[in-house]
Amino acid sequence: MSHNKGMVVVFSAPSGCGKDTVFRELCKRRDDVIKSVSATTRKPRADEIDGMNYFFVTEDEFTDMIDNNGLLEYAEYNGCYYGTPVKGVTRAVDEGKICFLIIEVQGAQKVMKIFPDCVSIFLLPPDLNTLKKRLYGRQTDTDDVIKKRLDIAQTELEYMDKYTYKVVNDDLGVCVDTIEQILCDELQKRNA
Ligand code: 5GP
């Protein structure tokens, strides 16, 4: 895959850090930013739309995607599978877009190997208590699921040094400003 036009951005954060909100804000500011829509075997949440938030698939369908080399990477997270379809990323990069892969840490490591010149950003919560409050506050998961996600969050934080950029999501505006600046700098580097 050539990326002389677009750019791949690996964007990871423990669950509850607000990565979807940050990404939505970023999209309001730049029309060349696009999200790679992942496939997952997780059940859709009430407000999620198939094909937009995720491609919601069965385990068999997910296995078929792996067997047909349809996934750039995949990983298991909290008992469900998540993977990045190759096609979406290829198309976005060919169209000159900044393609965000909003993925967990194991998949992120694989993408960094496949695209050594990708931009990698790890989003941090201000602290673990804030993360807890956010997870319980959004009322989309059961207490059991939240507890597991908090455990995973602790492990995920250990990966942050593998990312080129670490950004704290305390004040949303400041956080989005910082990421926008990173994108500008990286684009400039590539066009120099
Ligand atoms: P959620 O269930 O909260 O939507 O996602 C759980 C975790 O899976 C999040 O960290 C999310 O970024 C990650 N994830 C979503 N799509 C992918 C993917 O395609 N590949 C990998 N490795 N992780 C993903």
Side-chain angles (χ1 to χ4, degrees):
M1 186 188 303
S2 115
H3 7 153
N4 45 6
K5 286 197 269 167
M7 188 161 85
V8 170
V9 179
V10 177
F11 189 46
S12 301
S15 190
C17 279
K19 56 185 177 295
D20 293 325
T21 311
V22 169
F23 181 72
R24 263 198 308 274
E25 285 303 310
L26 203 58
C27 288
K28 288 185 196 162
R29 299 190 190 187
R30 291 194 67 112
D31 59 9
D32 55 353
V33 164
I34 195 172
K35 169 183 140 89
S36 148
V37 179
S38 297
T40 184
T41 61
R42 169 168 76 59
K43 296 278 164 279
R45 296 182 183 130
D47 58 344
E48 288 180 325
I49 299 167
D50 188 31
M52 211 161 104
N53 299 91
Y54 282 107
F55 295 111
F56 293 101
V57 298
T58 61
E59 288 214 4
D60 282 348
E61 286 168 332
F62 198 89
T63 308
D64 281 347
M65 293 176 96
I66 298 171
D67 291 346
N68 294 321
N69 297 320
L71 297 178
L72 190 63
E73 61 73 36
Y74 66 92
E76 193 190 343
Y77 177 98
N78 205 13
C80 300
Y81 290 99
Y82 295 81
T84 305
V86 177
K87 265 190 199 158
V89 179
T90 313
R91 195 184 317 123
V93 171
D94 284 349
E95 285 173 2
K97 304 278 189 201
I98 303 174
C99 183
F100 268 65
L101 274 53
I102 308 179
I103 62 178
E104 54 67 64
V105 295
Q106 299 163 61
Q109 303 312 298
K110 294 180 201 160
V111 176
M112 288 181 212
K113 281 209 183 96
I114 300 169
F115 300 126
D117 62 342
C118 72
V119 177
S120 58
I121 305 174
F122 193 92
L123 193 68
L124 288 159
D127 54 68
L128 272 179
N129 267 340
T130 312
L131 191 69
K132 246 186 225 174
K133 267 195 224 147
R134 284 184 189 162
L135 276 177
Y136 282 103
R138 68 182 188 186
Q139 295 177 329
T140 50
D141 293 313
T142 61
D143 282 5
D144 218 32
V145 170
I146 293 174
K147 273 190 200 115
K148 278 194 200 130
R149 282 176 179 259
L150 275 168
D151 279 348
I152 298 172
Q154 307 258 26
T155 315
E156 288 195 313
L157 288 170
E158 291 168 16
Y159 281 78
M160 68 170 132
D161 287 332
K162 310 232 179 244
Y163 292 71
T164 311
Y165 299 100
K166 291 172 271 290
V167 180
V168 179
N169 184 16
D170 191 355
D171 179 289
L172 180 64
V174 173
C175 174
V176 179
D177 284 348
T178 308
I179 296 178
E180 211 185 354
Q181 190 57 51
I182 291 171
L183 299 182
C184 287
D185 291 348
E186 288 288 342
L187 283 172
Q188 211 166 29
K189 259 196 239 166
R190 283 162 169 73
N191 293 328

